[in-house]
Amino acid sequence: QKEVEQNSGPLSVPEGAIASLNCTYSDRGSQSFFWYRQYSGKSPELIMSIYSNGEKEDGRFTAQLNKASQYVSLLIRDSQPSDSATYLCAVLNYGQNFVFGPGTRLSVLP
Amino acid sequence: DGGITQSPKYLFRKEGQNVTLSCEQNLNHDAMYWYRQDPGQGLRLIYYSQIVNDFQKGDIAEGYSVSREKKESFPLTVTSAQKNPTAFYLCASSSRVLTFGSGTRLTVV
């Protein structure tokens, strides 16, 4: 079983819609969770971090964490074509390593 | 501005040759990491260092070597033992979140 799993996509949504990205992880000792955005040919950039159960909102982005279900999600409201990228879920595990999922490719259609 | 500098941006390696990728940070972070990314794939951990003069192997350390003589610097050497080195290499540092450099794209010629 992979440590961090994501649907590879591509996920296509129309402009203005809500994009929903999901991630599951296997290490129950994980304490910190992150969403990174990566444009083609570029390095990842941090969008959100979340450390406790519940929701965290930052502008059009909302991260949700459910440690009991070992599940993290990212919602993007009012999706824009500039949001088209690969979204990487990352988990800081017990060994103090950041483990990444394979990423979900999002395409926002004008 | 604080950040992570990786050089070169593009690197070409001949068969049997060792090459070294540079990574420098001025964020005063203790922890530094090297990841490899293949096309359409996620990031895989090569090596990491939590403190000067100490480093640990990640999931795919074979064919790679590192050093951590200074807090600011964490160079990665891709040795001739790495049979398939063509990839995008990302250096990162961390206090509580990972910050990435701009990456080095390595190609075997």
Side-chain angles (χ1 to χ4, degrees):
Chain A
Q1 182 186 6
K2 294 182 180 177
E3 290 191 55
V4 180
E5 299 198 41
Q6 299 178 250
N7 291 329
S8 61
L11 172 65
S12 295
V13 300
E15 184 174 355
I18 295 175
S20 178
L21 305 165
N22 304 316
C23 172
T24 58
Y25 61 94
S26 60
D27 183 356
R28 285 196 170 273
S30 301
Q31 294 296 319
S32 304
F33 307 87
F34 309 89
W35 283 100
Y36 285 83
R37 178 176 61 199
Q38 186 177 26
Y39 293 112
S40 181
K42 302 296 185 182
S43 61
E45 54 182 339
L46 181 71
I47 300 176
M48 296 278 287
S49 59
I50 186 166
Y51 304 104
S52 54
N53 279 329
E55 289 190 357
K56 179 181 178 182
E57 185 175 318
D58 184 1
R60 295 186 296 113
F61 299 96
T62 299
Q64 298 173 319
L65 173 62
N66 184 326
K67 288 186 178 180
S69 300
Q70 295 175 251
Y71 175 86
V72 192
S73 68
L74 179 70
L75 298 178
I76 306 175
R77 290 182 300 280
D78 188 25
S79 295
Q80 301 298 309
S82 58
D83 293 327
S84 297
T86 296
Y87 289 80
L88 300 168
C89 174
V91 174
L92 180 60
N93 67 13
Y94 183 76
Q96 293 301 300
N97 289 332
F98 292 84
V99 181
F100 285 81
T104 297
R105 203 152 43 94
L106 172 66
S107 179
V108 180
L109 307 174
Chain B
D1 286 335
I4 301 175
T5 301
Q6 288 189 245
S7 62
K9 190 171 183 177
Y10 299 96
L11 186 58
F12 298 91
R13 192 194 93 166
K14 296 180 180 179
E15 294 286 344
Q17 189 179 46
N18 292 354
V19 292
T20 297
L21 284 59
S22 172
C23 179
E24 303 278 333
Q25 56 104 353
N26 60 5
L27 299 167
N28 200 34
H29 289 166
D30 286 317
M32 296 188 73
Y33 304 78
W34 275 104
Y35 289 90
R36 168 178 171 147
Q37 188 175 36
D38 293 283
Q41 305 295 315
L43 278 61
R44 292 185 290 167
L45 182 64
I46 305 173
Y47 269 97
Y48 65 101
S49 169
Q50 302 282 6
I51 197 169
V52 174
N53 292 322
D54 189 42
F55 49 83
Q56 285 76 42
K57 294 182 179 180
D59 300 320
I60 56 166
E62 186 175 350
Y64 301 96
S65 66
V66 294
S67 63
R68 186 85 187 278
E69 296 177 2
K70 300 186 299 182
K71 187 175 185 177
E72 300 80 14
S73 179
F74 192 40
L76 174 73
T77 296
V78 184
T79 74
S80 58
Q82 172 50 241
K83 297 306 179 186
N84 185 23
T86 295
F88 188 43
Y89 290 86
L90 287 158
C91 179
S93 69
S94 167
S95 57
R96 201 175 181 191
V97 299
L98 269 181
T99 302
F100 287 91
S102 56
T104 293
R105 198 165 298 277
L106 174 62
T107 304
V108 174
V109 295

